[in-house]
Amino acid sequence: MAGHEGAGAALTVLLVALGAAVGGPLRYLTDRWLSARYGNAFPWGTLAVNVSGSLALGVVLRAAPPDLRLLLGTGLCGGLTTFSSFGHQTLLLFETGRAGRALLNVGANLAAGLAAVTAGWALGGAL
């Protein structure tokens, strides 16, 4: 929705902000819950939000009208998923001598994320 001016631009920013206001806390709570349940030996929370966000984004981009894409795709999925935490956690795994887990983290995020967005795209097309 780039190029909106005035009230349209304000609505665009509001929709993205509202989605992100839900996605960010959801990411945090998911990570805390999975860390408490499974420990911190592997970044399960980040993997979970990245994969679920990729699935949701595939559905939203394929099936939702433009305003919902802003709210749910850019806002919610953008706030939910996290490339920066993925990068930092992978670096920490390498630095603490857990190269195998670091490589597993990279492979799992990439493969599962691509599979999830593909599945979401297919699901969105079926709606």
Side-chain angles (χ1 to χ4, degrees), residues 19-71:
V22 173
L26 185 57
R27 174 179 69 218
Y28 174 77
L29 293 171
T30 300
D31 185 62
R32 296 293 62 153
W33 182 74
L34 288 171
S35 291
R37 187 167 176 95
Y38 298 109
N40 293 315
F42 187 82
W44 292 110
T46 298
L47 178 62
V49 297
N50 285 343
V51 173
S52 62
S54 294
L55 176 69
L57 185 62
V59 172
V60 166
L61 291 179
R62 184 85 186 265
D67 285 346
L68 275 180
R69 286 185 208 141
L70 290 169
L71 176 70

Side-chain angles (χ1 to χ4, degrees), residues 78-120:
L80 177 65
T81 60
T82 174
F83 191 79
S84 56
S85 292
F86 158 71
H88 179 252
Q89 291 163 338
T90 302
L91 177 65
L92 287 177
L93 288 169
F94 272 117
E95 286 184 342
T96 56
R98 296 178 284 176
R101 288 185 185 174
L103 292 173
L104 175 63
N105 190 42
V106 170
N109 271 276
L110 183 59
L114 288 171
V117 76
T118 302

